[in-house]
Coordinates of all heavy atoms in Angstrom, one line a residue:
M1 N 0.9 -1.1 0.0 CA 0.1 0.0 0.0 C 0.9 1.3 0.0 O 2.0 1.4 0.7 CB -0.8 0.1 1.2 CG -2.0 1.0 1.2 SD -3.1 0.9 2.6 CE -2.1 1.6 3.9
T2 N 0.5 2.2 -0.8 CA 1.2 3.5 -0.8 C 0.7 4.5 0.0 O -0.5 4.4 0.6 CB 1.5 4.0 -2.3 OG1 0.2 4.6 -2.6 CG2 1.9 3.0 -3.2
A3 N 1.3 5.7 0.3 CA 0.8 6.7 1.2 C -0.5 7.3 0.4 O -1.3 8.0 1.1 CB 1.7 7.7 1.3
R4 N -0.6 7.0 -0.9 CA -1.8 7.6 -1.6 C -3.0 6.7 -1.5 O -4.1 6.9 -2.2 CB -1.4 7.9 -3.1 CG -0.4 9.0 -3.1 CD -0.1 9.2 -4.5 NE 1.0 10.3 -4.7 CZ 1.7 10.5 -5.8 NH1 1.4 9.9 -6.8 NH2 2.6 11.5 -5.7
E5 N -2.8 5.6 -1.0 CA -3.8 4.6 -0.9 C -4.4 4.5 0.5 O -3.7 4.8 1.4 CB -3.4 3.1 -1.3 CG -3.2 3.2 -2.8 CD -2.7 1.7 -3.2 OE1 -1.9 1.1 -2.4 OE2 -3.1 1.2 -4.3
A6 N -5.6 4.0 0.6 CA -6.1 3.5 1.9 C -6.8 2.3 2.0 O -7.4 2.0 0.9 CB -7.2 4.7 2.5
R7 N -6.9 1.6 3.0 CA -7.7 0.4 3.0 C -9.1 0.7 3.6 O -9.3 1.3 4.7 CB -7.0 -0.7 4.0 CG -5.7 -1.3 3.4 CD -5.1 -2.1 4.5 NE -4.6 -1.1 5.4 CZ -3.8 -1.3 6.5 NH1 -3.3 -2.4 6.6 NH2 -3.5 -0.3 7.2
L8 N -10.1 0.3 2.8 CA -11.4 0.6 3.1 C -12.1 -0.7 3.3 O -12.0 -1.6 2.3 CB -12.1 1.5 2.1 CG -13.4 2.0 2.3 CD1 -13.4 3.0 3.4 CD2 -14.0 2.6 1.0
I9 N -12.7 -1.0 4.4 CA -13.4 -2.3 4.6 C -14.8 -2.2 4.4 O -15.7 -1.6 5.2 CB -13.1 -2.8 6.1 CG1 -11.6 -2.8 6.4 CG2 -13.7 -4.2 6.3 CD1 -11.3 -2.8 7.7
V10 N -15.3 -2.7 3.3 CA -16.6 -2.5 2.8 C -17.4 -3.8 3.0 O -17.1 -4.8 2.2 CB -16.7 -2.1 1.2 CG1 -18.2 -1.8 0.9 CG2 -15.8 -0.7 1.1
D11 N -18.4 -3.8 3.7 CA -19.2 -5.1 4.0 C -18.3 -6.3 4.3 O -18.4 -7.4 3.8 CB -20.2 -5.3 2.9 CG -21.2 -4.3 2.8 OD1 -21.6 -3.7 3.8 OD2 -21.7 -4.2 1.6
G12 N -17.2 -5.9 5.1 CA -16.3 -7.0 5.5 C -15.1 -7.3 4.6 O -14.3 -8.1 4.9
V13 N -15.1 -6.7 3.5 CA -14.0 -7.0 2.5 C -13.1 -5.9 2.3 O -13.6 -4.7 2.2 CB -14.7 -7.4 1.0 CG1 -13.5 -7.6 0.0 CG2 -15.6 -8.4 1.1
I14 N -11.8 -6.0 2.5 CA -10.8 -5.0 2.3 C -10.6 -4.6 1.0 O -10.4 -5.4 0.0 CB -9.4 -5.6 3.0 CG1 -9.6 -5.8 4.4 CG2 -8.4 -4.4 2.9 CD1 -8.4 -6.4 5.2
R15 N -10.7 -3.4 0.7 CA -10.5 -2.8 -0.6 C -9.5 -1.6 -0.6 O -9.4 -1.0 0.5 CB -11.8 -2.1 -1.1 CG -13.1 -2.9 -1.0 CD -13.1 -4.0 -2.0 NE -14.4 -4.7 -1.9 CZ -14.9 -5.4 -2.9 NH1 -14.3 -5.4 -4.1 NH2 -16.1 -6.1 -2.8
R16 N -8.8 -1.5 -1.6 CA -7.7 -0.4 -1.7 C -8.3 0.7 -2.6 O -8.7 0.4 -3.7 CB -6.4 -0.9 -2.2 CG -5.8 -2.0 -1.2 CD -4.4 -2.3 -1.8 NE -3.9 -3.4 -1.0 CZ -3.3 -3.3 0.2 NH1 -3.0 -2.1 0.7 NH2 -2.8 -4.4 0.8
V17 N -8.3 1.8 -1.9 CA -8.9 3.0 -2.7 C -7.9 4.2 -2.6 O -7.1 4.2 -1.6 CB -10.3 3.4 -2.3 CG1 -11.2 2.3 -2.4 CG2 -10.2 3.7 -0.8
P18 N -8.0 5.3 -3.4 CA -7.1 6.5 -3.2 C -7.5 7.1 -1.9 O -8.6 7.1 -1.5 CB -7.6 7.4 -4.4 CG -8.1 6.4 -5.5 CD -8.7 5.3 -4.7
A19 N -6.5 7.6 -1.2 CA -6.6 8.1 0.2 C -7.5 9.4 0.4 O -8.1 9.6 1.4 CB -5.4 8.2 0.9
S20 N -7.5 10.1 -0.7 CA -8.2 11.5 -0.5 C -9.5 11.6 -1.2 O -10.0 12.7 -1.2 CB -7.2 12.5 -1.2 OG -7.0 12.3 -2.6
I21 N -10.1 10.5 -1.5 CA -11.4 10.7 -2.1 C -12.6 10.5 -1.0 O -12.4 10.0 0.1 CB -11.7 9.7 -3.3 CG1 -11.6 8.4 -2.8 CG2 -10.6 9.9 -4.3 CD1 -11.8 7.2 -4.0
T22 N -13.8 10.8 -1.4 CA -14.9 10.5 -0.4 C -15.3 9.0 -0.5 O -15.0 8.3 -1.4 CB -16.1 11.4 -0.8 OG1 -16.7 10.9 -2.0 CG2 -15.8 12.9 -0.8
V23 N -15.9 8.7 0.5 CA -16.5 7.3 0.6 C -17.4 7.0 -0.6 O -17.4 6.0 -1.2 CB -17.3 7.0 1.9 CG1 -17.9 5.7 1.9 CG2 -16.2 7.1 3.1
A24 N -18.2 8.0 -0.9 CA -19.1 7.9 -2.1 C -18.3 7.7 -3.4 O -18.6 6.8 -4.1 CB -20.1 9.1 -2.3
A25 N -17.2 8.3 -3.7 CA -16.4 8.2 -4.8 C -15.8 6.9 -4.8 O -15.7 6.2 -5.9 CB -15.4 9.3 -4.9
A26 N -15.4 6.4 -3.6 CA -14.8 5.1 -3.6 C -15.7 4.0 -3.9 O -15.5 3.1 -4.6 CB -14.2 4.9 -2.1
L27 N -17.0 4.1 -3.3 CA -17.9 3.0 -3.6 C -18.4 3.0 -5.1 O -18.4 1.9 -5.6 CB -19.2 3.3 -2.8 CG -18.9 3.1 -1.2 CD1 -20.3 3.4 -0.5 CD2 -18.5 1.6 -0.9
L28 N -18.4 4.2 -5.7 CA -18.8 4.4 -7.0 C -17.7 3.7 -7.9 O -17.9 3.0 -8.9 CB -19.1 5.8 -7.4 CG -20.4 6.3 -6.9 CD1 -20.5 7.8 -7.2 CD2 -21.6 5.6 -7.6
S29 N -16.4 4.0 -7.5 CA -15.4 3.5 -8.4 C -15.1 2.0 -8.3 O -14.7 1.4 -9.2 CB -14.0 4.2 -7.8 OG -13.6 3.6 -6.6
L30 N -15.6 1.5 -7.1 CA -15.6 0.0 -7.0 C -16.8 -0.8 -7.5 O -16.9 -1.9 -7.5 CB -15.3 -0.3 -5.5 CG -14.0 0.2 -4.9 CD1 -14.1 0.0 -3.4 CD2 -12.8 -0.7 -5.4
D31 N -17.8 0.1 -7.9 CA -19.1 -0.3 -8.4 C -19.7 -1.3 -7.4 O -20.2 -2.3 -7.6 CB -19.0 -1.3 -9.7 CG -20.2 -1.5 -10.6 OD1 -21.1 -0.6 -10.3 OD2 -20.2 -2.4 -11.2
L32 N -19.7 -0.7 -6.1 CA -20.4 -1.4 -5.0 C -21.7 -0.7 -4.5 O -21.7 0.6 -4.8 CB -19.4 -1.3 -3.8 CG -18.2 -2.2 -4.0 CD1 -17.2 -2.0 -2.8 CD2 -18.5 -3.7 -4.1
P33 N -22.6 -1.4 -4.0 CA -23.8 -0.7 -3.5 C -23.8 0.2 -2.4 O -22.9 0.0 -1.6 CB -24.8 -1.9 -3.3 CG -23.9 -3.0 -2.9 CD -22.5 -2.8 -3.7
F34 N -24.7 1.1 -2.2 CA -24.7 1.9 -1.0 C -25.7 1.3 0.0 O -25.4 0.7 0.9 CB -25.1 3.3 -1.4 CG -24.1 4.1 -2.1 CD1 -23.6 3.9 -3.3 CD2 -23.6 5.3 -1.5 CE1 -22.7 4.5 -4.0 CE2 -22.5 6.0 -2.0 CZ -22.1 5.6 -3.4
R35 N -26.9 1.4 -0.4 CA -28.0 0.9 0.4 C -29.2 0.4 -0.4 O -29.2 0.8 -1.6 CB -28.4 1.8 1.6 CG -29.1 3.1 1.0 CD -29.5 4.1 2.0 NE -30.1 5.3 1.4 CZ -31.5 5.4 1.2 NH1 -32.2 4.5 1.5 NH2 -31.9 6.4 0.6
R36 N -30.2 -0.2 0.3 CA -31.4 -0.5 -0.5 C -32.5 0.3 0.1 O -32.5 0.6 1.2 CB -31.8 -2.0 -0.4 CG -30.7 -2.8 -1.2 CD -31.3 -4.3 -1.2 NE -30.3 -5.2 -1.8 CZ -30.5 -5.5 -3.1 NH1 -31.4 -5.0 -3.8 NH2 -29.5 -6.3 -3.7
S37 N -33.4 0.7 -0.8 CA -34.7 1.4 -0.3 C -35.6 0.4 0.5 O -35.3 -0.8 0.4 CB -35.4 2.0 -1.4 OG -35.9 1.1 -2.3
V38 N -36.6 1.0 1.0 CA -37.5 0.0 1.8 C -38.2 -1.0 0.8 O -38.7 -2.1 1.2 CB -38.7 0.8 2.5 CG1 -37.9 1.5 3.7 CG2 -39.5 1.7 1.7
S39 N -38.3 -0.6 -0.5 CA -38.9 -1.6 -1.5 C -37.8 -2.5 -2.1 O -38.1 -3.3 -3.0 CB -39.7 -0.8 -2.6 OG -38.7 0.1 -3.2
G40 N -36.6 -2.4 -1.6 CA -35.4 -3.2 -2.1 C -34.6 -2.8 -3.3 O -33.7 -3.5 -3.7
Q41 N -34.8 -1.6 -3.7 CA -34.1 -1.0 -4.9 C -32.8 -0.4 -4.4 O -32.7 0.1 -3.3 CB -34.9 0.0 -5.6 CG -36.1 -0.4 -6.3 CD -36.9 0.6 -6.8 OE1 -36.9 1.8 -6.4 NE2 -37.4 0.4 -8.1
H42 N -31.7 -0.7 -5.2 CA -30.3 0.0 -4.8 C -30.5 1.5 -5.0 O -31.1 2.0 -5.9 CB -29.4 -0.6 -5.8 CG -28.9 -2.0 -5.4 ND1 -28.0 -2.2 -4.5 CD2 -29.0 -3.1 -6.1 CE1 -27.9 -3.5 -4.3 NE2 -28.4 -4.1 -5.4
R43 N -29.8 2.1 -4.1 CA -29.8 3.6 -4.0 C -28.3 3.9 -4.2 O -27.5 3.2 -3.8 CB -30.3 4.1 -2.6 CG -31.6 3.5 -2.3 CD -32.6 3.8 -3.3 NE -32.9 5.2 -3.7 CZ -33.7 5.6 -4.5 NH1 -34.5 4.8 -5.2 NH2 -33.8 6.9 -4.8
A44 N -28.1 5.1 -4.6 CA -26.6 5.4 -4.8 C -26.5 7.0 -4.8 O -27.6 7.7 -4.8 CB -26.1 5.1 -6.3
A45 N -25.4 7.6 -4.8 CA -25.1 9.0 -4.7 C -25.8 9.6 -5.9 O -25.7 9.2 -7.0 CB -23.6 9.3 -4.7
V46 N -26.5 10.7 -5.6 CA -27.1 11.6 -6.6 C -26.4 12.9 -6.8 O -26.0 13.2 -7.8 CB -28.6 11.6 -6.4 CG1 -29.3 12.4 -7.4 CG2 -29.3 10.2 -6.5
C47 N -26.6 13.6 -5.6 CA -26.1 15.0 -5.7 C -24.6 15.2 -5.4 O -24.0 16.1 -6.1 CB -26.9 15.9 -4.7 SG -26.3 15.7 -3.0
G48 N -24.0 14.4 -4.7 CA -22.6 14.5 -4.4 C -22.2 15.7 -3.4 O -21.0 16.0 -3.4
M49 N -23.2 16.3 -2.9 CA -22.9 17.5 -2.2 C -23.7 17.6 -0.9 O -23.9 18.6 -0.3 CB -23.1 18.8 -3.0 CG -24.5 19.0 -3.5 SD -24.4 20.4 -4.5 CE -26.2 20.6 -4.8
G50 N -24.3 16.4 -0.3 CA -24.8 16.3 0.9 C -26.3 16.8 1.0 O -26.8 16.9 2.1
V51 N -27.0 16.9 -0.1 CA -28.3 17.4 -0.1 C -29.3 16.1 -0.1 O -30.4 16.2 0.6 CB -28.6 18.4 -1.2 CG1 -30.0 18.8 -1.3 CG2 -27.6 19.6 -1.1
C52 N -29.1 15.2 -1.1 CA -30.1 14.3 -1.3 C -30.3 13.1 -0.4 O -31.4 12.5 -0.3 CB -30.0 13.7 -2.8 SG -28.7 12.6 -2.8
F53 N -29.3 12.9 0.4 CA -29.3 11.8 1.4 C -29.4 10.3 0.9 O -29.7 9.4 1.5 CB -30.3 11.9 2.5 CG -30.0 13.0 3.5 CD1 -30.0 14.4 3.1 CD2 -29.5 12.7 4.8 CE1 -29.8 15.4 4.0 CE2 -29.3 13.8 5.7 CZ -29.3 15.1 5.3
E54 N -29.2 10.3 -0.5 CA -29.3 9.0 -1.2 C -28.1 8.0 -0.9 O -28.1 6.8 -1.2 CB -29.6 9.1 -2.7 CG -30.8 9.7 -3.0 CD -32.0 8.7 -2.7 OE1 -31.9 7.6 -2.7 OE2 -33.2 9.3 -2.4
C55 N -27.0 8.6 -0.5 CA -25.7 7.9 -0.3 C -25.5 7.4 1.1 O -24.3 7.0 1.4 CB -24.6 8.9 -0.7 SG -24.4 10.3 0.3
R56 N -26.5 7.3 1.9 CA -26.3 7.0 3.3 C -25.7 5.5 3.4 O -26.3 4.6 2.9 CB -27.5 7.0 4.1 CG -28.0 8.5 4.3 CD -29.3 8.7 4.8 NE -30.3 8.2 3.8 CZ -31.6 8.0 4.0 NH1 -32.1 8.0 5.2 NH2 -32.4 7.7 3.1
V57 N -24.8 5.3 4.3 CA -24.2 4.0 4.6 C -23.8 4.2 6.1 O -23.8 5.2 6.7 CB -23.0 3.7 3.8 CG1 -23.3 3.5 2.4 CG2 -21.8 4.8 3.9
R58 N -23.4 3.0 6.6 CA -22.8 3.0 8.0 C -21.4 3.0 7.9 O -20.7 2.3 7.2 CB -23.3 1.6 8.7 CG -22.8 1.6 10.1 CD -23.2 0.2 10.7 NE -24.7 0.1 10.7 CZ -25.5 0.4 11.7 NH1 -24.9 0.9 12.7 NH2 -26.8 0.2 11.6
I59 N -20.8 4.1 8.6 CA -19.4 4.3 8.6 C -18.9 4.2 10.0 O -19.3 4.8 10.9 CB -19.0 5.6 8.0 CG1 -19.6 5.7 6.5 CG2 -17.5 6.0 8.0 CD1 -19.3 7.0 5.8
D60 N -17.9 3.3 10.2 CA -17.3 3.0 11.5 C -18.4 2.9 12.6 O -18.3 3.3 13.8 CB -16.3 4.2 11.8 CG -15.0 4.1 11.1 OD1 -14.8 3.1 10.6 OD2 -14.4 5.2 11.0
G61 N -19.4 2.1 12.2 CA -20.5 1.8 13.1 C -21.5 2.8 13.2 O -22.6 2.6 14.0
V62 N -21.4 4.0 12.6 CA -22.4 5.0 12.8 C -23.3 5.0 11.7 O -22.9 5.1 10.5 CB -21.7 6.4 12.9 CG1 -22.7 7.4 13.1 CG2 -20.7 6.3 14.1
A63 N -24.6 4.8 11.9 CA -25.6 4.6 10.8 C -25.9 5.9 10.2 O -25.7 7.0 10.7 CB -26.8 4.0 11.2
Q64 N -26.4 6.0 8.9 CA -27.0 7.0 8.3 C -26.0 8.2 8.0 O -26.3 9.3 7.9 CB -28.2 7.7 9.0 CG -29.2 6.6 9.2 CD -30.0 6.1 8.1 OE1 -30.4 6.9 7.3 NE2 -30.3 4.8 8.0
Q65 N -24.7 7.8 7.6 CA -23.8 8.8 7.3 C -23.7 9.0 5.8 O -23.9 8.1 5.0 CB -22.3 8.3 7.7 CG -22.2 8.0 9.2 CD -22.4 9.3 9.9 OE1 -21.6 10.2 9.8 NE2 -23.4 9.2 10.8
R66 N -23.7 10.2 5.4 CA -23.7 10.7 4.0 C -22.3 10.4 3.4 O -21.3 11.1 3.8 CB -24.1 12.1 3.8 CG -25.6 12.3 4.0 CD -26.0 13.7 4.0 NE -25.5 14.3 5.3 CZ -25.4 15.6 5.5 NH1 -26.0 16.5 4.6 NH2 -24.9 16.0 6.6
A67 N -22.2 9.4 2.6 CA -20.9 8.9 2.0 C -20.2 10.0 1.3 O -19.0 10.1 1.2 CB -21.1 7.7 1.2
C68 N -20.9 11.0 0.7 CA -20.4 12.0 -0.2 C -19.7 13.1 0.8 O -19.0 13.9 0.2 CB -21.4 12.6 -1.1 SG -22.7 13.5 -0.3
Q69 N -19.9 13.1 2.1 CA -19.5 14.1 2.9 C -18.3 13.6 3.7 O -17.9 14.4 4.6 CB -20.6 14.6 3.8 CG -21.7 15.2 3.0 CD -21.2 16.4 2.3 OE1 -20.8 17.4 2.8 NE2 -21.3 16.3 0.9
V70 N -17.8 12.3 3.6 CA -16.8 11.6 4.4 C -15.6 11.3 3.5 O -15.8 10.6 2.5 CB -17.4 10.5 5.2 CG1 -16.3 9.8 6.0 CG2 -18.7 10.9 6.0
T71 N -14.5 11.8 3.9 CA -13.2 11.4 3.3 C -12.7 10.1 3.8 O -12.8 9.8 5.0 CB -12.1 12.4 3.4 OG1 -12.7 13.7 3.0 CG2 -10.9 12.2 2.6
V72 N -12.2 9.2 2.8 CA -11.8 7.9 3.2 C -10.6 8.1 4.1 O -9.8 8.9 4.1 CB -11.4 7.2 1.9 CG1 -10.4 6.0 2.1 CG2 -12.5 6.7 1.0
R73 N -10.5 7.2 5.1 CA -9.4 7.0 6.0 C -9.0 5.6 6.1 O -9.8 4.7 6.0 CB -9.9 7.5 7.4 CG -8.8 7.4 8.5 CD -9.5 7.9 9.9 NE -10.7 7.3 10.2 CZ -11.1 6.2 10.5 NH1 -10.1 5.2 10.6 NH2 -12.3 5.8 10.8
D74 N -7.7 5.3 6.2 CA -7.2 4.0 6.2 C -7.8 3.2 7.4 O -7.8 3.7 8.5 CB -5.6 4.1 6.4 CG -5.1 2.6 6.2 OD1 -5.5 1.9 5.2 OD2 -4.2 2.3 7.0
G75 N -8.3 2.1 7.1 CA -9.0 1.2 8.1 C -10.4 1.5 8.4 O -11.1 0.9 9.2
M76 N -10.9 2.5 7.7 CA -12.4 2.8 7.9 C -13.3 1.6 7.5 O -13.0 0.9 6.6 CB -12.7 4.0 7.0 CG -14.1 4.5 7.0 SD -14.3 5.9 6.0 CE -13.9 7.2 7.1
T77 N -14.4 1.3 8.2 CA -15.3 0.3 7.8 C -16.7 1.1 7.2 O -17.1 2.0 7.9 CB -15.8 -0.5 9.0 OG1 -16.3 0.3 10.1 CG2 -14.5 -1.2 9.6
V78 N -17.1 0.5 6.2 CA -18.3 1.0 5.5 C -19.3 -0.2 5.4 O -18.9 -1.3 4.9 CB -17.9 1.7 4.2 CG1 -19.3 2.1 3.4 CG2 -17.0 2.8 4.3
D79 N -20.4 -0.1 5.7 CA -21.5 -1.2 5.5 C -22.6 -0.5 4.8 O -23.2 0.5 5.2 CB -21.9 -1.7 6.9 CG -20.7 -2.4 7.6 OD1 -20.3 -3.3 7.1 OD2 -20.3 -2.0 8.7
S80 N -23.1 -1.2 3.8 CA -24.3 -0.7 3.1 C -25.4 -1.2 4.0 O -25.4 -2.1 4.8 CB -24.4 -1.4 1.8 OG -24.4 -2.9 1.9
E81 N -26.5 -0.4 4.0 CA -27.6 -0.6 4.9 C -28.9 -1.0 4.0 O -29.0 -0.7 2.9 CB -27.9 0.6 5.7 CG -26.6 0.9 6.5 CD -26.8 2.3 7.4 OE1 -27.8 3.0 7.2 OE2 -26.1 2.5 8.2
Ligands
LIG1 S1 -25.0 12.0 -2.8 FE1 -26.6 13.4 -2.2 S2 -26.3 13.5 -0.1 FE2 -24.6 12.3 -0.7

């Protein structure tokens, strides 16, 4: 791993992503899901600026975090909800 990379643990799987991007950008670049709606449809980042709340995931055990507003940190855990 280089200084420009971070380990992101997504739904229990370790992924390597650029260290300075948002969690939303990381999930999109890995083509991974964010969460499902109550009707079971996949949801994903829409606005990318903290307004739509479509990118919510659990980050380091804290539910309902907007992935587009959080920068990746090495060792961070992300769980789709
Ligand atoms: S993408 Fe809209 S709040 Fe994150």
Side-chain angles (χ1 to χ4, degrees):
M1 188 174 76
T2 70
R4 295 180 184 170
E5 290 182 319
R7 290 168 295 192
L8 191 63
I9 304 162
V10 183
D11 292 330
V13 178
I14 298 174
R15 312 282 184 160
R16 294 184 189 278
V17 298
S20 59
I21 63 175
T22 65
V23 172
L27 294 176
L28 288 169
S29 72
L30 295 167
D31 197 25
L32 295 174
F34 286 69
R35 64 181 178 92
R36 290 183 183 271
S37 68
V38 291
S39 62
Q41 295 178 322
H42 281 288
R43 311 304 300 181
V46 175
C47 71
M49 59 184 189
V51 176
C52 73
F53 286 73
E54 291 293 333
C55 63
R56 289 171 288 164
V57 292
R58 181 180 300 270
I59 298 176
D60 290 337
V62 181
Q64 306 290 318
Q65 299 298 298
R66 288 171 289 171
C68 69
Q69 300 298 296
V70 179
T71 303
V72 165
R73 177 184 41 75
D74 188 48
M76 177 181 275
T77 62
V78 177
D79 296 298
S80 57
E81 299 180 346

